[in-house]
Amino acid sequence: MARQTEIQPAPMASERPFVKSWKAFFGRLITNKSAIVGGSLIILLGILAIIGPYIAPQSLNEQNFAVKLQGPSAEFWFGTDAFGRDVLSRILHGMSITFIIGFGSVALAGIVGTTFGIISGYYGGKTDTIIMRIVDVFLAFPGIILALAIVATLGPGLENVIYAIAIGSFPVFARIARGSTLAVKKLEYIDAVKALGASDTRIIIKHILPNVLSPLIVQTTLSIATGVLAAAGLSFLGLGAQPPSPEWGAMLNAGRSYMYDAPHLTYAPGIAIALFVLAFNIFGDGLRDALDPKLKN
């Protein structure tokens, strides 16, 4: 009887390089101490932003003049303000506003800046010259001065602060996207895709954009921290969120009149802002090392 030959299963197709590179990235990310510490803080702050209004000891604007300007105690952990409102409750309510400002401004800046940067780098020529000269005009002004001018023109308010920060931040995204696009479009496989008849839109979306995301992701985390600081500065100057908003910069502005009699009014929102910014900066450092491990060496 003839011996039957065993049929070996066909080897599985190897993973796509794009998938493998992102798996390697996540492997480095979860072993990076900076990314773990910063990411854990961001997750904790994000959870508090969601559940903060439900676990706050007092309502947002509940006033009790009998306990105004009291320092931290067992009843009021962060003390009370000039209207007798619980500072801890206002910090928890203001956390969601901080996330909205940070992510909203960076989302606008990232979308606009990345779009113009990729178009500028991909097409070059007059298109590149016109877009980059516009970007240079915005870069000529310090970020906070430009934001001040925009908010002074549009008027104070949370939405206008987001627009102002986004306008001041998009040139950085445009520069980064343009530089990365110039490097990617010189690769041989881009020429091969063009030779196969792919449209410019398909090349940009399918091949250019995925390869320029790494530096843009890092810049996003750092810009969130910068945007929150800028928003706090504008509110501190009276041009951002207006009372009785629990935005942390506005709370700092309201508390500066009582810095000697009730310093907790500035300590609480100041520490909250510092912790928020520190979390995103630490996570951004870890993210940078994970995306490009050569920089760590």
Side-chain angles (χ1 to χ4, degrees):
M1 185 174 178
R3 185 179 178 182
Q4 294 182 349
T5 58
E6 295 182 359
I7 300 176
Q8 300 292 334
M12 295 181 63
S14 59
E15 293 180 296
R16 295 175 62 185
F18 179 78
V19 176
K20 291 177 68 176
S21 64
W22 278 99
K23 280 188 175 182
F25 156 68
F26 283 113
R28 294 190 297 269
L29 185 66
I30 61 177
T31 58
N32 186 282
K33 293 182 180 179
S34 296
I36 293 174
V37 173
S40 300
L41 282 174
I42 292 171
I43 292 172
L44 176 60
L45 293 172
I47 293 174
L48 288 176
I50 296 172
I51 68 174
Y54 303 101
I55 65 174
Q58 306 288 337
S59 63
L60 176 59
N61 292 311
E62 181 179 349
Q63 300 181 9
N64 184 0
F65 287 95
V67 294
K68 68 176 183 178
L69 297 179
Q70 284 193 3
S73 63
E75 184 180 1
F76 303 104
W77 289 7
F78 289 3
T80 60
D81 64 8
F83 298 96
R85 297 175 297 191
D86 181 43
V87 175
L88 174 59
S89 299
R90 292 178 62 77
I91 290 289
L92 291 174
H93 278 86
M95 197 167 293
S96 59
I97 298 177
T98 302
F99 270 93
I100 291 172
I101 292 172
F103 283 91
S105 60
V106 170
L108 287 175
I111 292 172
V112 175
T114 301
T115 301
F116 280 104
I118 291 178
I119 292 174
S120 176
Y122 183 78
Y123 289 103
K126 292 183 178 179
T127 302
D128 181 32
T129 301
I130 293 173
I131 292 177
M132 284 301 102
R133 294 300 75 77
I134 295 174
V135 169
D136 289 339
V137 170
F138 284 97
L139 286 174
F141 298 93
I144 188 64
I145 301 300
L146 182 60
L148 278 170
I150 294 172
V151 172
T153 303
L154 299 178
L158 189 60
E159 291 185 1
N160 292 340
V161 167
I162 293 176
Y163 294 144
I165 295 173
I167 292 172
S169 301
F170 94 89
V172 179
F173 285 92
R175 279 289 185 183
I176 294 174
R178 175 182 178 271
S180 300
T181 301
L182 289 174
V184 172
K185 79 171 187 177
K186 295 178 181 178
L187 300 178
E188 293 181 357
Y189 85 93
I190 297 295
D191 295 331
V193 172
K194 288 182 178 179
L196 292 174
S199 64
D200 290 342
T201 303
R202 180 178 178 83
I203 292 173
I204 290 173
I205 295 176
K206 297 282 290 184
H207 302 284
I208 299 291
L209 182 59
N211 286 285
V212 303
L213 282 179
S214 295
L216 292 173
I217 291 174
V218 176
Q219 182 59 40
T220 296
T221 60
L222 300 178
S223 293
I224 289 174
T226 304
V228 168
L229 278 177
L234 291 172
S235 296
F236 182 77
L237 296 174
L239 295 175
Q242 300 298 301
S245 172
E247 198 273 328
W248 294 342
M251 291 179 65
L252 274 174
N253 184 35
R256 64 177 175 172
S257 301
Y258 308 95
M259 288 184 63
Y260 297 104
D261 298 328
H264 63 275
L265 294 182
T266 54
Y267 290 163
I271 292 174
I273 293 171
L275 185 62
F276 188 95
V277 173
L278 181 65
F280 276 94
N281 281 336
I282 293 175
F283 182 70
D285 288 339
L287 194 63
R288 180 198 59 197
D289 294 338
L291 285 168
D292 193 353
K294 295 179 182 178
L295 292 177
K296 192 173 182 179
N297 296 327

